[in-house]
Amino acid sequence: VATPKTVIWTPDPHTKAKHQILSGYLDAYFPIVTKQFSDAGVAFIDAFSGPGEYEDGSDGSPIIALESARASVGGNSTTPLKFIFIEKERDRFDHLADLLTQRTLPATTTIESRHGHCADVLTPLIDELEITNWPMFVNCDGWGVDTPYTLIEAVSRTKRPEVMVTISTQWFMRFADTTEGAAGDKVFGDASWRQVANVPTTEKKRWLVERYRRRLADAGFEFQLTFELVDEMGHPLFLIFGTHSVHGVEKMKDSMWRVDSSSGSRFRDPRDPNQTAFDLSDSEPTLEVLEGQILEHLGRSGVQSLKNLQEFALRETIFKKTHAVKAVTRLETLNKVTAQHAKAYKNYMVTLADPSLF
Ligand SMILES: C[S@@+](CC[C@H](N)C(=O)[O-])C[C@H]1O[C@@H](n2cnc3c(N)ncnc32)[C@H](O)[C@@H]1O
């Protein structure tokens, strides 16, 4: 992966979408957790903070997070908010430090910036700052091959952690059977990912994403949400979100579905075998992918209530609960499922019209 060497750089097309997702999520996250954990505090950790801005003048993730807290909570809360920024390149670290001194912070907000490798810095810092009982959102936005699994494990031991990890599957496909693959072992926490070398080419990407989800689950992140951003050149980038809270999954999806089409990225559900890319918008989402996933799910599991299908959509796909209702209604119109309308209409049972197809 060619990575920028300069202090600041031109953002790639994925960056805008990534930032819209982050700020949309934090706008919902900060007000909820500052209220819920008012007797403790709330931490936002940028393990790969970068310099804080881009060559085109747009904000980097540390500034986006501070701005989201200011706009969504401001001075309306007495809950301590701690922002932890870690950056390994000295010049980028200094650049961010300069930007931070220009900002006025609410009295409840503190910033801890550290120069160094997040793998070395973060775990002792969590102890030193005594924030193990605080909810924390940890942004692991490296170059796609650099979030150590040991860091994920350390974060998972705190009280209410959430992580968002950037993963570049291209690298893992390329280096699975080479000595450079050692960097991948650190990300997955073991060498199991290298089995990708034996997976058929068309399945590799999906397989790797599933493997990483599994590793987040192994670390204790009960819910994982993955989505793929695709730029104009077709380069994929995965964002994998891990949380203990199904509410967190819902809020992350809301944010993702608000990303505007001008972000230059399209989305793919990594679990869609047809790998359909589409734009996200709340008004007219493309639901064919979800319809296919629901049919497949019904084929595997038999009759399901609408509520279960909504849960399935929420937990197992990139779609929202509301999309499941629309998809089922359309499948019914297409005579692909039959819906047995029970008294509690909102929770009727759904079966495949022709189970022999699955
Ligand atoms: C993709 S950029 C981060 C962009 C930033 N999150 C944003 O959205 O504005 C990755 C940054 O992580 C830094 N970095 C790479 N490896 C690191 C490590 N092990 N620990 C801390 N920082 C690291 C790089 O120098 C680079 O500035």
Side-chain angles (χ1 to χ4, degrees):
V1 191
T3 54
K5 302 282 177 274
T6 46
V7 181
I8 60 171
W9 60 91
T10 308
D12 76 23
H14 294 129
T15 307
K16 191 169 173 193
K18 214 163 58 179
H19 285 166
Q20 282 184 8
I21 292 168
L22 181 68
S23 72
Y25 182 72
L26 293 178
D27 287 352
Y29 177 81
F30 285 129
I32 295 171
V33 287
T34 48
K35 207 163 173 187
Q36 209 179 336
F37 290 84
S38 55
D39 52 348
V42 173
F44 171 87
I45 301 175
D46 224 343
F48 300 82
S49 73
E53 70 175 337
Y54 288 85
E55 217 157 60
D56 64 358
S58 55
D59 289 335
S61 53
I63 306 298
I64 288 170
L66 283 167
E67 190 46 33
S68 163
R70 193 199 56 75
S72 64
V73 183
N76 295 333
S77 159
T78 51
T79 312
L81 266 174
K82 212 178 267 303
F83 290 82
I84 298 172
F85 301 131
I86 305 169
E87 169 58 49
K88 80 162 194 210
E89 298 298 335
R90 182 87 232 181
D91 44 6
R92 291 181 184 153
F93 176 83
D94 290 342
H95 193 93
L96 175 62
D98 271 353
L99 289 179
L100 294 174
T101 54
Q102 296 163 26
R103 296 186 72 86
T104 335
L105 301 173
T108 48
T109 299
T110 48
I111 295 179
E112 299 283 345
S113 297
R114 295 290 188 278
H115 170 228
H117 283 250
C118 54
D120 307 330
V121 171
L122 188 57
T123 313
L125 191 59
I126 288 175
D127 288 336
E128 179 198 320
L129 298 173
E130 299 180 348
I131 54 172
T132 15
N133 282 333
W134 293 22
M136 56 182 75
F137 182 98
V138 187
N139 190 29
C140 300
D141 178 32
W143 303 121
V145 195
D146 32 20
T147 298
Y149 192 69
T150 49
L151 183 149
I152 298 292
E153 286 179 312
V155 167
S156 82
R157 287 192 287 270
T158 65
K159 189 163 176 179
R160 191 196 182 278
E162 299 196 329
V163 287
M164 173 95 119
V165 187
T166 305
I167 292 279
S168 158
T169 49
Q170 273 172 331
W171 186 93
F172 292 94
M173 288 192 224
R174 191 160 154 213
F175 293 106
D177 43 16
T178 69
T179 46
E180 283 105 319
D185 299 347
K186 284 193 185 141
V187 172
F188 279 83
D190 61 22
S192 59
W193 68 276
R194 292 181 185 241
Q195 289 161 25
V196 71
N198 309 319
V199 172
T201 313
T202 53
E203 284 296 307
K204 282 185 194 297
K205 208 163 63 170
R206 213 154 95 102
W207 188 93
L208 278 166
V209 171
E210 282 310 309
R211 184 72 214 138
Y212 194 73
R213 276 173 67 112
R214 184 69 247 156
R215 295 302 283 147
L216 282 188
D218 292 344
F221 291 97
E222 190 184 346
F223 305 106
Q224 317 92 38
L225 175 60
T226 45
F227 42 100
E228 180 180 357
L229 298 173
V230 197
D231 67 20
E232 291 98 341
M233 311 288 286
H235 300 132
L237 187 77
F238 290 88
L239 298 184
I240 308 191
F241 173 61
T243 178
H244 291 195
S245 149
V246 73
H247 202 53
V249 174
E250 260 182 310
K251 294 289 173 204
M252 185 56 85
K253 280 197 177 170
D254 287 346
S255 173
M256 207 190 108
W257 280 93
R258 278 196 301 265
V259 169
D260 62 58
S261 45
S262 75
S263 69
S265 288
R266 305 187 84 214
F267 281 74
R268 259 199 298 248
D269 187 334
R271 295 173 143 199
D272 166 24
N274 299 321
Q275 289 293 281
T276 328
F278 51 93
D279 288 322
L280 298 181
S281 80
D282 257 335
S283 48
E284 285 300 325
T286 317
L287 293 182
E288 277 90 355
V289 173
L290 176 59
E291 287 162 17
Q293 287 168 317
I294 287 177
L295 290 176
E296 199 185 48
H297 181 61
L298 286 171
R300 274 197 312 270
S301 59
V303 59
Q304 289 287 338
S305 67
L306 181 64
K307 194 162 168 250
N308 282 350
L309 291 176
Q310 286 185 292
E311 286 299 318
F312 163 75
L314 179 67
R315 293 174 188 210
E316 304 291 331
T317 77
I318 63 168
F319 294 91
K320 300 201 283 185
K321 280 182 172 180
T322 46
H323 294 143
V325 182
K326 287 186 191 157
V328 167
T329 308
R330 215 177 84 98
L331 286 171
E332 210 187 338
T333 324
L334 298 171
N335 294 322
K336 293 198 172 163
V337 299
T338 53
Q340 298 156 14
H341 294 243
K343 247 193 206 152
Y345 173 73
K346 279 212 167 307
N347 197 21
Y348 55 77
M349 304 302 286
V350 182
T351 44
L352 281 176
D354 183 358
S356 67
L357 287 177
F358 287 88

